[in-house]
PDB file of all heavy atoms in Angstrom:
ATOM      1  N   PHE A 554      95.696 123.075  79.883  1.00  0.00           N
ATOM      2  CA  PHE A 554      94.389 122.466  79.949  1.00  0.00           C
ATOM      3  C   PHE A 554      94.494 121.124  80.713  1.00  0.00           C
ATOM      4  O   PHE A 554      95.593 120.626  80.918  1.00  0.00           O
ATOM      5  CB  PHE A 554      93.779 122.296  78.561  1.00  0.00           C
ATOM      6  CG  PHE A 554      94.536 121.362  77.622  1.00  0.00           C
ATOM      7  CD1 PHE A 554      94.216 120.024  77.557  1.00  0.00           C
ATOM      8  CD2 PHE A 554      95.497 121.880  76.814  1.00  0.00           C
ATOM      9  CE1 PHE A 554      94.894 119.210  76.638  1.00  0.00           C
ATOM     10  CE2 PHE A 554      96.216 121.061  75.940  1.00  0.00           C
ATOM     11  CZ  PHE A 554      95.894 119.702  75.879  1.00  0.00           C
ATOM     12  N   ILE A 560      89.595 107.932  86.595  1.00  0.00           N
ATOM     13  CA  ILE A 560      88.586 107.398  87.538  1.00  0.00           C
ATOM     14  C   ILE A 560      88.823 105.874  87.672  1.00  0.00           C
ATOM     15  O   ILE A 560      88.862 105.179  86.688  1.00  0.00           O
ATOM     16  CB  ILE A 560      87.155 107.704  87.024  1.00  0.00           C
ATOM     17  CG1 ILE A 560      86.927 109.209  87.016  1.00  0.00           C
ATOM     18  CG2 ILE A 560      86.109 106.997  87.924  1.00  0.00           C
ATOM     19  CD1 ILE A 560      85.668 109.662  86.356  1.00  0.00           C
ATOM     20  N   ALA A 563      85.696  99.452  89.235  1.00  0.00           N
ATOM     21  CA  ALA A 563      85.868  98.008  89.557  1.00  0.00           C
ATOM     22  C   ALA A 563      85.492  97.209  88.323  1.00  0.00           C
ATOM     23  O   ALA A 563      86.031  96.146  88.085  1.00  0.00           O
ATOM     24  CB  ALA A 563      84.985  97.662  90.725  1.00  0.00           C
ATOM     25  N   ASP A 564      84.540  97.698  87.508  1.00  0.00           N
ATOM     26  CA  ASP A 564      83.990  96.955  86.394  1.00  0.00           C
ATOM     27  C   ASP A 564      83.890  97.825  85.185  1.00  0.00           C
ATOM     28  O   ASP A 564      83.132  98.770  85.157  1.00  0.00           O
ATOM     29  CB  ASP A 564      82.615  96.370  86.785  1.00  0.00           C
ATOM     30  CG  ASP A 564      82.019  95.524  85.708  1.00  0.00           C
ATOM     31  OD1 ASP A 564      81.878  95.931  84.562  1.00  0.00           O
ATOM     32  OD2 ASP A 564      81.639  94.352  86.002  1.00  0.00           O
ATOM     33  N   MET A 565      84.687  97.535  84.166  1.00  0.00           N
ATOM     34  CA  MET A 565      84.758  98.429  83.004  1.00  0.00           C
ATOM     35  C   MET A 565      83.394  98.430  82.237  1.00  0.00           C
ATOM     36  O   MET A 565      82.982  99.518  81.764  1.00  0.00           O
ATOM     37  CB  MET A 565      85.873  97.971  82.044  1.00  0.00           C
ATOM     38  CG  MET A 565      86.060  98.841  80.822  1.00  0.00           C
ATOM     39  SD  MET A 565      86.453 100.589  81.280  1.00  0.00           S
ATOM     40  CE  MET A 565      88.253 100.422  81.492  1.00  0.00           C
ATOM     41  N   ASP A 574      76.995 105.232  77.736  1.00  0.00           N
ATOM     42  CA  ASP A 574      75.621 105.018  77.319  1.00  0.00           C
ATOM     43  C   ASP A 574      74.631 105.922  77.993  1.00  0.00           C
ATOM     44  O   ASP A 574      73.655 106.383  77.395  1.00  0.00           O
ATOM     45  CB  ASP A 574      75.220 103.550  77.566  1.00  0.00           C
ATOM     46  CG  ASP A 574      76.178 102.566  76.855  1.00  0.00           C
ATOM     47  OD1 ASP A 574      76.849 102.991  75.873  1.00  0.00           O
ATOM     48  OD2 ASP A 574      76.309 101.429  77.344  1.00  0.00           O
ATOM     49  N   LEU A 580      83.360 106.993  73.318  1.00  0.00           N
ATOM     50  CA  LEU A 580      84.526 106.138  73.608  1.00  0.00           C
ATOM     51  C   LEU A 580      85.513 106.353  72.485  1.00  0.00           C
ATOM     52  O   LEU A 580      85.242 106.081  71.310  1.00  0.00           O
ATOM     53  CB  LEU A 580      84.101 104.693  73.727  1.00  0.00           C
ATOM     54  CG  LEU A 580      85.271 103.704  73.940  1.00  0.00           C
ATOM     55  CD1 LEU A 580      85.948 103.934  75.302  1.00  0.00           C
ATOM     56  CD2 LEU A 580      84.753 102.265  73.883  1.00  0.00           C
ATOM     57  N   LEU A 596      87.436 108.317  77.076  1.00  0.00           N
ATOM     58  CA  LEU A 596      86.195 108.877  76.572  1.00  0.00           C
ATOM     59  C   LEU A 596      86.363 110.365  76.366  1.00  0.00           C
ATOM     60  O   LEU A 596      86.929 111.070  77.254  1.00  0.00           O
ATOM     61  CB  LEU A 596      85.058 108.640  77.529  1.00  0.00           C
ATOM     62  CG  LEU A 596      84.723 107.157  77.760  1.00  0.00           C
ATOM     63  CD1 LEU A 596      85.003 106.806  79.189  1.00  0.00           C
ATOM     64  CD2 LEU A 596      83.305 106.818  77.410  1.00  0.00           C
ATOM     65  N   ASP A 599      85.052 116.358  75.034  1.00  0.00           N
ATOM     66  CA  ASP A 599      84.698 117.280  74.025  1.00  0.00           C
ATOM     67  C   ASP A 599      84.536 116.468  72.755  1.00  0.00           C
ATOM     68  O   ASP A 599      85.440 115.758  72.367  1.00  0.00           O
ATOM     69  CB  ASP A 599      85.854 118.287  73.926  1.00  0.00           C
ATOM     70  CG  ASP A 599      85.916 119.005  72.594  1.00  0.00           C
ATOM     71  OD1 ASP A 599      85.022 118.880  71.773  1.00  0.00           O
ATOM     72  OD2 ASP A 599      86.946 119.662  72.354  1.00  0.00           O
ATOM     73  N   ALA A 603      89.327 117.386  70.807  1.00  0.00           N
ATOM     74  CA  ALA A 603      90.439 118.298  70.792  1.00  0.00           C
ATOM     75  C   ALA A 603      91.159 118.356  72.149  1.00  0.00           C
ATOM     76  O   ALA A 603      92.373 118.293  72.224  1.00  0.00           O
ATOM     77  CB  ALA A 603      89.968 119.754  70.429  1.00  0.00           C
ATOM     78  N   VAL A 607      87.834 111.543  79.852  1.00  0.00           N
ATOM     79  CA  VAL A 607      87.682 110.784  81.070  1.00  0.00           C
ATOM     80  C   VAL A 607      88.454 109.508  80.866  1.00  0.00           C
ATOM     81  O   VAL A 607      88.299 108.878  79.776  1.00  0.00           O
ATOM     82  CB  VAL A 607      86.186 110.507  81.385  1.00  0.00           C
ATOM     83  CG1 VAL A 607      86.056 109.400  82.447  1.00  0.00           C
ATOM     84  CG2 VAL A 607      85.468 111.739  81.832  1.00  0.00           C
ATOM     85  N   LEU A 610      89.844 103.530  84.627  1.00  0.00           N
ATOM     86  CA  LEU A 610      90.943 102.606  84.934  1.00  0.00           C
ATOM     87  C   LEU A 610      90.405 101.384  85.697  1.00  0.00           C
ATOM     88  O   LEU A 610      89.917 101.535  86.829  1.00  0.00           O
ATOM     89  CB  LEU A 610      91.959 103.341  85.829  1.00  0.00           C
ATOM     90  CG  LEU A 610      92.576 104.594  85.180  1.00  0.00           C
ATOM     91  CD1 LEU A 610      93.051 105.568  86.303  1.00  0.00           C
ATOM     92  CD2 LEU A 610      93.735 104.223  84.298  1.00  0.00           C
ATOM     93  N   PRO A 612      91.255  97.519  87.140  1.00  0.00           N
ATOM     94  CA  PRO A 612      92.381  96.620  87.469  1.00  0.00           C
ATOM     95  C   PRO A 612      92.287  95.307  86.695  1.00  0.00           C
ATOM     96  O   PRO A 612      91.235  94.780  86.463  1.00  0.00           O
ATOM     97  CB  PRO A 612      92.226  96.387  88.965  1.00  0.00           C
ATOM     98  CG  PRO A 612      90.819  96.624  89.265  1.00  0.00           C
ATOM     99  CD  PRO A 612      90.313  97.653  88.307  1.00  0.00           C
ATOM    100  N   ALA A 620      93.874  98.348  91.751  1.00  0.00           N
ATOM    101  CA  ALA A 620      93.165  97.370  92.634  1.00  0.00           C
ATOM    102  C   ALA A 620      93.401  97.772  94.117  1.00  0.00           C
ATOM    103  O   ALA A 620      92.449  97.707  94.903  1.00  0.00           O
ATOM    104  CB  ALA A 620      93.706  95.955  92.364  1.00  0.00           C
ATOM    105  N   LYS A 626      89.999 102.648  99.137  1.00  0.00           N
ATOM    106  CA  LYS A 626      89.087 103.787  99.150  1.00  0.00           C
ATOM    107  C   LYS A 626      87.801 103.557  98.414  1.00  0.00           C
ATOM    108  O   LYS A 626      86.929 104.460  98.420  1.00  0.00           O
ATOM    109  CB  LYS A 626      89.806 105.006  98.517  1.00  0.00           C
ATOM    110  CG  LYS A 626      91.086 105.433  99.261  1.00  0.00           C
ATOM    111  CD  LYS A 626      91.671 106.722  98.707  1.00  0.00           C
ATOM    112  CE  LYS A 626      92.819 107.176  99.559  1.00  0.00           C
ATOM    113  NZ  LYS A 626      93.509 108.332  99.034  1.00  0.00           N
ATOM    114  N   ALA A 634      94.939 114.788  85.333  1.00  0.00           N
ATOM    115  CA  ALA A 634      96.142 114.885  84.543  1.00  0.00           C
ATOM    116  C   ALA A 634      96.166 116.260  83.844  1.00  0.00           C
ATOM    117  O   ALA A 634      95.218 116.624  83.108  1.00  0.00           O
ATOM    118  CB  ALA A 634      96.169 113.815  83.502  1.00  0.00           C
ATOM    119  N   VAL A 643     108.066 120.659  83.657  1.00  0.00           N
ATOM    120  CA  VAL A 643     107.058 120.882  84.725  1.00  0.00           C
ATOM    121  C   VAL A 643     107.483 120.119  85.992  1.00  0.00           C
ATOM    122  O   VAL A 643     107.365 120.657  87.120  1.00  0.00           O
ATOM    123  CB  VAL A 643     105.645 120.433  84.262  1.00  0.00           C
ATOM    124  CG1 VAL A 643     104.642 120.724  85.345  1.00  0.00           C
ATOM    125  CG2 VAL A 643     105.221 121.200  82.989  1.00  0.00           C
ATOM    126  N   ARG A 646     110.146 122.161  87.751  1.00  0.00           N
ATOM    127  CA  ARG A 646     109.615 123.289  88.439  1.00  0.00           C
ATOM    128  C   ARG A 646     108.952 122.874  89.759  1.00  0.00           C
ATOM    129  O   ARG A 646     109.105 123.556  90.793  1.00  0.00           O
ATOM    130  CB  ARG A 646     108.579 124.051  87.575  1.00  0.00           C
ATOM    131  CG  ARG A 646     107.981 125.257  88.239  1.00  0.00           C
ATOM    132  CD  ARG A 646     107.256 126.220  87.309  1.00  0.00           C
ATOM    133  NE  ARG A 646     106.224 125.561  86.512  1.00  0.00           N
ATOM    134  CZ  ARG A 646     106.341 125.350  85.215  1.00  0.00           C
ATOM    135  NH1 ARG A 646     107.414 125.755  84.589  1.00  0.00           N
ATOM    136  NH2 ARG A 646     105.364 124.719  84.550  1.00  0.00           N
ATOM    137  N   ASP A 649     111.698 121.987  92.267  1.00  0.00           N
ATOM    138  CA  ASP A 649     112.336 123.207  92.760  1.00  0.00           C
ATOM    139  C   ASP A 649     111.445 123.876  93.823  1.00  0.00           C
ATOM    140  O   ASP A 649     111.923 124.569  94.661  1.00  0.00           O
ATOM    141  CB  ASP A 649     112.591 124.177  91.598  1.00  0.00           C
ATOM    142  CG  ASP A 649     113.690 123.681  90.679  1.00  0.00           C
ATOM    143  OD1 ASP A 649     114.396 122.736  90.997  1.00  0.00           O
ATOM    144  OD2 ASP A 649     113.798 124.213  89.540  1.00  0.00           O
ATOM    145  N   GLY A 662     102.868 106.270  79.548  1.00  0.00           N
ATOM    146  CA  GLY A 662     101.581 105.869  80.048  1.00  0.00           C
ATOM    147  C   GLY A 662     100.655 105.558  78.867  1.00  0.00           C
ATOM    148  O   GLY A 662     101.052 105.316  77.757  1.00  0.00           O
ATOM    149  N   GLN A 667     103.910 110.828  77.765  1.00  0.00           N
ATOM    150  CA  GLN A 667     105.019 110.896  78.768  1.00  0.00           C
ATOM    151  C   GLN A 667     104.437 111.454  80.087  1.00  0.00           C
ATOM    152  O   GLN A 667     104.031 112.627  80.115  1.00  0.00           O
ATOM    153  CB  GLN A 667     106.133 111.810  78.259  1.00  0.00           C
ATOM    154  CG  GLN A 667     106.890 111.175  77.075  1.00  0.00           C
ATOM    155  CD  GLN A 667     107.535 109.857  77.480  1.00  0.00           C
ATOM    156  OE1 GLN A 667     108.409 109.834  78.310  1.00  0.00           O
ATOM    157  NE2 GLN A 667     107.068 108.702  76.855  1.00  0.00           N
ATOM    158  N   ALA A 669     104.112 111.675  84.590  1.00  0.00           N
ATOM    159  CA  ALA A 669     104.723 111.608  85.895  1.00  0.00           C
ATOM    160  C   ALA A 669     103.687 112.006  86.900  1.00  0.00           C
ATOM    161  O   ALA A 669     102.850 112.879  86.613  1.00  0.00           O
ATOM    162  CB  ALA A 669     105.976 112.492  85.971  1.00  0.00           C
ATOM    163  N   VAL A 679      95.283 115.816  96.261  1.00  0.00           N
ATOM    164  CA  VAL A 679      94.880 115.481  94.898  1.00  0.00           C
ATOM    165  C   VAL A 679      96.033 114.795  94.205  1.00  0.00           C
ATOM    166  O   VAL A 679      97.150 115.346  94.125  1.00  0.00           O
ATOM    167  CB  VAL A 679      94.454 116.740  94.090  1.00  0.00           C
ATOM    168  CG1 VAL A 679      94.088 116.386  92.655  1.00  0.00           C
ATOM    169  CG2 VAL A 679      93.268 117.415  94.806  1.00  0.00           C
ATOM    170  N   GLU A 682      98.738 114.211  87.759  1.00  0.00           N
ATOM    171  CA  GLU A 682      99.582 113.694  86.732  1.00  0.00           C
ATOM    172  C   GLU A 682     100.037 114.787  85.823  1.00  0.00           C
ATOM    173  O   GLU A 682      99.169 115.662  85.482  1.00  0.00           O
ATOM    174  CB  GLU A 682      98.816 112.609  85.956  1.00  0.00           C
ATOM    175  CG  GLU A 682      99.497 111.981  84.747  1.00  0.00           C
ATOM    176  CD  GLU A 682      98.638 110.974  84.027  1.00  0.00           C
ATOM    177  OE1 GLU A 682      97.679 110.441  84.569  1.00  0.00           O
ATOM    178  OE2 GLU A 682      98.886 110.788  82.795  1.00  0.00           O
ATOM    179  N   PRO A 687     103.502 112.042  73.135  1.00  0.00           N
ATOM    180  CA  PRO A 687     104.765 111.423  72.827  1.00  0.00           C
ATOM    181  C   PRO A 687     105.573 112.342  71.839  1.00  0.00           C
ATOM    182  O   PRO A 687     104.937 112.967  70.986  1.00  0.00           O
ATOM    183  CB  PRO A 687     104.368 110.117  72.166  1.00  0.00           C
ATOM    184  CG  PRO A 687     102.918 110.010  72.169  1.00  0.00           C
ATOM    185  CD  PRO A 687     102.391 111.238  72.752  1.00  0.00           C
TER     186      PRO A 687
END
Side-chain angles (χ1 to χ4, degrees):
F554 62 93
I560 296 170
D564 183 306
M565 184 60 85
D574 304 337
L580 178 63
L596 299 116
D599 156 10
V607 166
L610 301 154
K626 299 188 174 176
V643 180
R646 180 166 53 252
D649 292 346
Q667 290 300 296
V679 176
E682 176 184 336

